Amino acid sequence: LKVIAANLEKKIKAELERMLKDDREKYETFYAAFGRQLKFGLVSDYGMHKDLLQDLVEFRSDKEGKDITLKEYCDAMPESQKHIYFATGDSAARLSQLPQTQLLRERGFDVLLMTEQVDTFIPQTLNTYAEHEFRNILTDDLDLATEEKKAAEEKAKAFQSGVDFLKESLGEKVKDVRVSTELGSHAVTMVPDGGMSFEMERYMHTVDPSSDYHCGRILEVNPEHPLLQRLSESRESDPERAKKLAELLYDQGLLMANLPLEDPTAYTDLVCELIG
């Protein structure tokens, strides 16, 4: 029976690979029905079957606007790209608008938009594919040019007093505040602490609503954004207004990360007050 099972497994995989190569439309029909089962099979038993299934799973490509395999992703990578970039969330459209996704898109790098709960576990299970390491664009270093890292360090030093003010104003709401050069035209973003994702936090609460599992919130700020510059000006001239701007930035970070606002009514009142 074990021999029969092994032969059937090989035959089914060979047929799926043939379909994927020679009849993509038919494979997509199959994948729409059973793709999730393939993903669960990949992560089950501590990844015991990952070598069998990793070439069959697909994810949404930000650049292509369609589902692609990991092999197709790696084959299309520019020579300067070292890693497989991905983001997890409940909406491909929202993930496509993240500042980090936009930054990588400008570089010509693709991002895999992973929108199913099981997707959260796949990069951790595989670790690498074709010798390329998986990098979560919300929690990991994007490993871009050294010049940009130097620029980030200089900006962080120049805005250190602003970072200290935000930390003091927000208190225990955030684990940390730091400067980022990866936000493009956005003022802030919220990223999780400790390498775990907000999707994992949501998953844990879904599995066990009484769970107190909680990712630390790290607020990343863009010191060149007008709102952060306004914060710097208000710290001296109007400290109370500056604190309100800090609250606004925190709430915007929550919204960027698709996290619930602690008090939506207070947020709308705050916005109206600051723009009034």
Side-chain angles (χ1 to χ4, degrees), residues 27 30-31 34-42 53 56-57:
Y27 185 80
F30 161 82
Y31 195 82
F34 299 105
R36 186 175 298 176
Q37 282 70 25
L38 291 180
K39 290 179 178 178
F40 275 111
L42 191 156
L53 299 173
L56 298 174
V57 295

Side-chain angles (χ1 to χ4, degrees), residues 41-153:
L42 191 156
V43 300
S44 66
D45 298 327
Y46 303 99
M48 184 181 297
H49 311 290
K50 64 181 182 181
D51 292 336
L52 178 71
L53 299 173
Q54 63 183 356
D55 290 323
L56 298 174
V57 295
E58 296 182 338
F59 306 97
R60 192 74 174 175
S61 161
D62 173 65
K63 182 185 289 186
E64 300 292 334
K66 63 180 181 179
D67 291 347
I68 62 173
T69 65
L70 293 173
K71 183 178 185 303
E72 290 169 335
Y73 178 94
C74 291
D75 287 346
M77 286 170 54
E79 290 186 8
S80 59
Q81 184 176 345
K82 302 176 183 178
H83 311 296
I84 298 173
Y85 295 109
F86 73 94
T88 59
D90 57 4
S91 165
R94 186 184 67 80
L95 295 176
S96 184
Q97 295 302 314
L98 290 173
Q100 296 89 339
T101 306
Q102 294 177 4
L103 175 67
L104 290 168
R105 188 187 304 135
E106 291 170 0
R107 290 297 193 95
F109 298 167
D110 197 4
V111 178
L112 295 176
L113 311 177
M114 301 183 172
T115 57
E116 295 186 297
Q117 282 189 336
V118 64
D119 291 346
T120 304
F121 303 97
I122 290 178
Q124 300 172 29
T125 301
L126 294 179
N127 293 314
T128 62
Y129 179 86
E131 299 184 352
H132 296 289
E133 180 184 346
F134 284 85
R135 289 285 176 101
N136 186 332
I137 66 173
L138 290 176
T139 60
D140 299 328
D141 180 8
L142 299 184
D143 196 16
L144 299 177
T146 303
E147 291 77 11
E148 293 184 357
K149 291 183 179 179
K150 291 180 179 179
E153 292 174 358

